[in-house]
Amino acid sequence: PKGFNRLLQFETLIVGLKALFYALPVSLGIIYLINKSASDMVTFSDMMIPWKSIMFAVIGVFVIISITMWYATRRIKKENILDAIREENI
């Protein structure tokens, strides 16, 4: 059970990092485009990046993924893993 829980934790961590790996560059690109389009109306000295909001989003991703991992772990504890694997193979 410890090894299985560790495997589930690593899988959750990898999924969260992969989601952030794709989402952060896309969001920074969108922020750049918004700043570029708004620069015609308002003069900015630098590109404004909402670091606090980005950190809240990163924390939110890991909270949601942690809750999902916790739910999956609780659900698996109630079931017999070997019986579930046998049913999938049949």
Side-chain angles (χ1 to χ4, degrees), residues 5-67:
N5 288 338
R6 183 170 288 185
L7 176 74
L8 194 60
Q9 290 171 354
F10 281 130
E11 183 180 356
T12 303
L13 181 67
I14 288 171
V15 168
L17 291 176
K18 187 176 178 183
L20 291 174
F21 179 74
Y22 290 124
L24 287 178
V26 170
S27 64
L28 289 175
I30 291 171
I31 290 169
Y32 173 76
L33 292 174
I34 290 172
N35 279 332
K36 185 112 172 133
S37 67
S39 67
D40 296 337
M41 295 179 273
V42 180
T43 305
F44 295 117
S45 60
D46 291 334
M47 188 170 99
M48 297 182 340
I49 299 176
W51 292 110
K52 195 181 284 187
S53 298
I54 290 173
M55 288 306 299
F56 284 136
V58 168
I59 291 169
V61 165
F62 282 109
V63 165
I64 290 170
I65 288 179
S66 297
I67 290 170

